[in-house]
Amino acid sequence: MKASDTFWDSAADKYARKPVGDEAAYAKTLERTSSHLAPKDHVLEVGCGTGTTALKLAPLVAEITGTDISGRMIEIATEKANEQNIPNVRFAKETTETLLAQDARFDVVTAFNMLHLMEAPAQTVHQIHDLIKPGGLFISKTPCLAEKMKFLRPIIWVMQKIGMAPMVHFIGYVELDDMMRDAGFEIIESGVYPTKTGSRFLVAKRR
């Protein structure tokens, strides 16, 4: 088990109890995401956490698979799916690498608030590209901390040293957009919400 797995396993139960930080921004993200989904779609959510978003989107699509590196997050997500009796959602502890090894392919891949937490964000975007069927969509929202939250860098560094924060990349808008284009995506929609944290919403089509 990697150190990041251990961190998120230990944080899972507290994370599950934490309310949404900005309800309006979350609602906007769901609304814009939903507008790009179709009843026939098979969807993958990378970094699904405790499954809240996947469960909200499930009624709009044929099937949704939620994955996370944290086994505890997946346990909580599965419990929620069973409690809510949502049959077309499956949660599994997987990575983009293990999914590619299974030759898995999806109509849409989503990734919310997780690219900045990956060891190699650009590599992850390339892997996500390969998980999407030709012409399919990658829908993401990424806190671009280099835009408005640079002051957090020394604070996070200290927290990482004492095991209270995971790896965090300070990505900017241009860098994020370049990652998408370099991986073979065409950006077809963008937005920033919540604006105070500079979280960039993108819809990108696989070329």
Side-chain angles (χ1 to χ4, degrees), residues 141-195:
K141 190 165 82 169
T142 304
C144 290
L145 302 179
E147 298 293 332
K148 298 189 177 184
M149 309 290 281
K150 289 182 180 179
F151 67 90
L152 289 176
R153 195 185 295 270
I155 299 171
I156 290 176
W157 183 85
V158 172
M159 293 178 68
Q160 288 169 335
K161 291 298 182 183
I162 58 176
M164 294 183 64
M167 174 180 293
V168 178
H169 291 274
F170 281 70
I171 300 171
Y173 296 154
V174 172
E175 181 184 1
L176 180 63
D177 290 1
D178 285 347
M179 281 185 203
M180 299 292 172
R181 296 189 181 103
D182 290 346
F185 288 108
E186 174 192 359
I187 296 171
I188 61 174
E189 181 179 330
S190 64
V192 177
Y193 30 89
T195 55

Side-chain angles (χ1 to χ4, degrees), residues 2 77 101 126 137 142 158 196 207:
K2 294 182 179 179
H126 274 85
L137 299 179
T142 304
V158 172
K196 64 182 179 182
R207 295 198 294 263

Side-chain angles (χ1 to χ4, degrees), residues 80 107 111 117 139:
K80 288 163 66 173
D107 300 297
L117 302 174
I139 305 175

Side-chain angles (χ1 to χ4, degrees), residues 107-129:
D107 300 297
V108 180
V109 173
T110 66
F112 301 114
N113 304 311
M114 54 77 66
L115 283 177
H116 66 306
L117 302 174
M118 303 303 295
E119 291 185 12
Q123 180 182 354
T124 298
V125 173
H126 274 85
Q127 291 168 343
I128 287 172
H129 173 274

